Amino acid sequence: MHPTKTTENRRDQILREAARLFAERGFHGVGVDEIGAAVGISGPGLYRHFAGKDAMLAELLVGISGRLLTAGKARVAEATDPAGALDALVRGHIDFALDDRPLITLHDRELDRLRDSDRKLVRQLQRQYVEQWVEVVRQVRPAAPEPQVRAAVHAVFGLLNSTPHLGAHSGLPGRDDTAALLRRLALAALTALDSMDDRRVTY
């Protein structure tokens, strides 16, 4: 039997609130009862949807890694040229970085709490996502050596995934303007590959 839409929506609500609470107070600082209260159901009622907090954390971290990869493949497939594919990847990751900030915090703090199989799956999905970017960037910047492309892709992820550190008093504009700024910064970082080569710098 397929889950009903109501069940799916309630699961999404639980996961969203669990991510927020875990990010704010840490995995061990949040009880099942608190997550239940955030979505208007009893703590024990959560067990109709998840086996426990560990299962929620696994679904959050495995889930977002899978969604990024799947969405990235779709964006690349829809693009008409490599430059368009790269821009689509950047825009898609920015949407994630701005709209799912708690998941970035969770990944940084709680990934090691996953059981080995789930952690390995997250890493596998992430490696595929990185390779997706590397392939597109190499099409756009064919003269750039692969090690530098790979390093640049990881650096851009670090730039975009810094959004949890952008507090309310950062002075940044609204979401659309912030997204536009992040896009310009990410594309500029990748454009820097044009001036790179493997020659040793001497002084």
Side-chain angles (χ1 to χ4, degrees), residues 131-148:
E131 292 308 314
Q132 186 179 82
W133 276 66
V134 169
E135 180 179 352
V136 171
V137 173
R138 293 195 74 195
Q139 292 175 17
V140 177
R141 305 277 183 259
E146 181 177 347
Q148 292 180 356

Side-chain angles (χ1 to χ4, degrees), residues 19-197:
R20 179 182 65 81
L21 291 168
F22 291 160
E24 288 177 358
R25 306 215 302 272
F27 181 75
H28 286 305
V30 178
V32 171
D33 289 343
E34 294 171 275
I35 299 172
V39 296
I41 62 177
S42 66
L46 288 181
Y47 293 108
R48 292 197 297 270
H49 304 278
F50 296 96
K53 291 198 307 177
D54 289 338
M56 294 179 207
L57 182 63
E59 186 155 338
L60 284 165
L61 294 181
V62 174
I64 189 55
S65 296
R67 290 196 299 276
L68 280 172
L69 178 60
T70 299
K73 288 180 179 178
R75 288 173 180 270
V76 171
E78 292 169 0
T80 57
D81 55 40
L86 179 58
D87 191 52
L89 285 175
V90 169
R91 289 176 183 273
H93 199 97
I94 288 171
D95 286 341
F96 155 69
L98 290 176
D99 298 335
D100 292 299
R101 300 185 199 193
L103 294 179
I104 297 175
T105 301
L106 276 188
H107 179 274
D108 290 344
R109 293 180 183 172
E110 313 290 359
L111 180 63
D112 288 343
R113 298 193 188 280
L114 295 183
R115 62 183 181 181
D116 287 345
S117 58
D118 288 329
R119 188 168 58 253
K120 288 177 181 177
L121 179 55
V122 169
R123 293 300 192 193
Q124 178 185 4
L125 292 168
Q126 289 175 337
R127 284 194 296 270
Q128 293 178 41
Y129 185 57
V130 169
E131 292 308 314
Q132 186 179 82
W133 276 66
V134 169
E135 180 179 352
V136 171
V137 173
R138 293 195 74 195
Q139 292 175 17
V140 177
R141 305 277 183 259
E146 181 177 347
Q148 292 180 356
V149 170
R150 196 173 301 278
V153 167
H154 282 288
V156 167
F157 287 168
L159 166 68
L160 299 181
N161 290 347
S162 68
T163 52
H165 304 292
L166 303 180
H169 302 294
S170 65
L172 286 173
R175 186 197 184 285
D176 290 346
D177 288 339
T178 302
L181 172 62
L182 290 172
R183 175 175 171 267
R184 291 196 302 272
L185 292 171
L187 292 175
L190 295 171
T191 300
L193 286 166
D194 287 340
S195 60
M196 291 183 172
D197 57 33

